[in-house]
Amino acid sequence: MSFQQPLSPTGDAQAFGGGAEFRAEIPPLADDPDDLLIERAGCGDVEAFGKLVDRHSGRLYRVALRLLCDAQEAEDAVQDCFTRLWQNAPLWEPRGGGLLTWLQRVTVNLCLDRLRRFRVVADGELPEIEDETPGPERQFAIRRLERLIEEALGALPHRHRAALVLCYLEGLPNLIAAEMLGLNLKAMESLLFRARRSLREQLERMDVAAEDLELLA
């Protein structure tokens, strides 16, 4: 999938500012750090902004899909996130967590807002994680367990799901995840404890053994 730069109300991407003459004066963008790209985007450089979209949209989409369990809703949430980035680019100031942390926090909050408004029902399977273990029976068992875990995650309270996705599936430190959810570290650890218990109970109702949760590590 590919994300387009958010369009202006007229549908014209050039409305972001800049243009061919402006961009011709800017050096190549291939290896530029996020802070430099966002600085350029804040000056109206659409090419720099597009580089940020290309660089980060995949990870943001994965987080949104796991939270919303709906591909179109996840894509819309990521599009909204980058729209906010474009709007805030002129005021951007480098900060401790960096641009990616800011993007992840905005994406998570947008997803939680959507989940509060309505209950999302997944109408298809999420992409399967490739299993390199030989043997069709083993592969089938793991794929079935992955689907059950995704289904169990989808049935959890929204903040429980967000905590597990951020800390276990995305591998973020508890402190960073806490910042994204507006919690202190102690509250985040308490939320994770409750989330793991909720997931375990949900899986037990689905006849999945507790030790199978190791697949989330």
Side-chain angles (χ1 to χ4, degrees):
M1 65 170 294
S2 62
F3 290 95
Q4 303 297 321
Q5 297 158 1
L7 299 179
S8 68
T10 62
D12 183 3
Q14 293 299 324
F16 284 143
E21 181 179 353
F22 175 77
R23 292 195 302 271
E25 301 174 358
I26 298 179
L29 304 173
D31 300 319
D32 285 340
D34 285 348
D35 285 341
L36 180 56
L37 290 174
I38 192 61
E39 180 181 352
R40 293 176 175 179
C43 294
D45 184 354
V46 179
E47 185 180 357
F49 180 75
K51 181 68 176 178
L52 289 171
V53 174
D54 292 341
R55 181 176 294 175
H56 297 301
S57 59
R59 182 166 188 172
L60 299 180
Y61 176 77
R62 186 173 67 242
V63 171
L65 183 60
R66 283 169 165 165
L67 289 174
L68 295 171
C69 303
D70 183 282
Q72 185 59 57
E73 289 293 332
E75 186 167 348
D76 289 347
V78 175
Q79 179 75 10
D80 289 347
C81 176
F82 281 112
T83 298
R84 295 192 180 194
L85 177 62
W86 177 262
Q87 293 168 344
N88 286 277
L91 303 176
W92 177 264
E93 295 181 359
R95 56 203 71 185
L99 179 63
L100 178 58
T101 297
W102 185 89
L103 289 170
Q104 289 175 315
R105 179 164 62 253
V106 171
T107 299
V108 168
N109 288 334
L110 287 168
C111 290
L112 292 177
D113 287 343
R114 288 171 181 268
L115 289 168
R116 291 186 191 103
R117 291 199 301 267
F118 52 84
R119 178 75 174 176
V120 176
V121 179
D123 57 3
E125 295 181 1
L126 295 176
E128 297 175 352
I129 301 173
E130 184 179 356
D131 174 34
E132 298 179 352
T133 303
E137 293 183 0
R138 170 71 173 169
Q139 292 177 358
F140 176 81
I142 290 180
R143 286 197 296 269
R144 176 181 177 275
L145 183 56
E146 288 168 350
R147 288 194 293 268
L148 289 173
I149 290 173
E150 293 288 357
E151 183 180 339
L153 278 171
L156 295 182
H158 305 154
R159 291 178 70 83
H160 287 192
R161 189 191 316 170
L164 292 172
V165 166
L166 293 174
C167 294
Y168 290 101
L169 298 182
E170 290 301 312
L172 295 178
N174 289 1
L175 187 60
I176 298 298
E179 180 184 349
M180 291 182 179
L181 296 177
L183 302 172
N184 59 41
L185 183 58
K186 184 176 181 180
M188 184 68 204
E189 291 172 347
S190 176
L191 177 62
L192 273 173
F193 175 80
R194 298 194 306 273
R196 289 194 298 266
R197 183 177 59 191
S198 295
L199 181 61
R200 186 181 304 111
E201 292 172 352
Q202 182 66 25
L203 287 170
E204 287 175 354
R205 287 193 287 270
M206 300 165 68
D207 296 323
V208 176
E211 55 266 23
D212 292 329
L213 290 177
E214 295 177 0
L215 286 176
L216 292 177

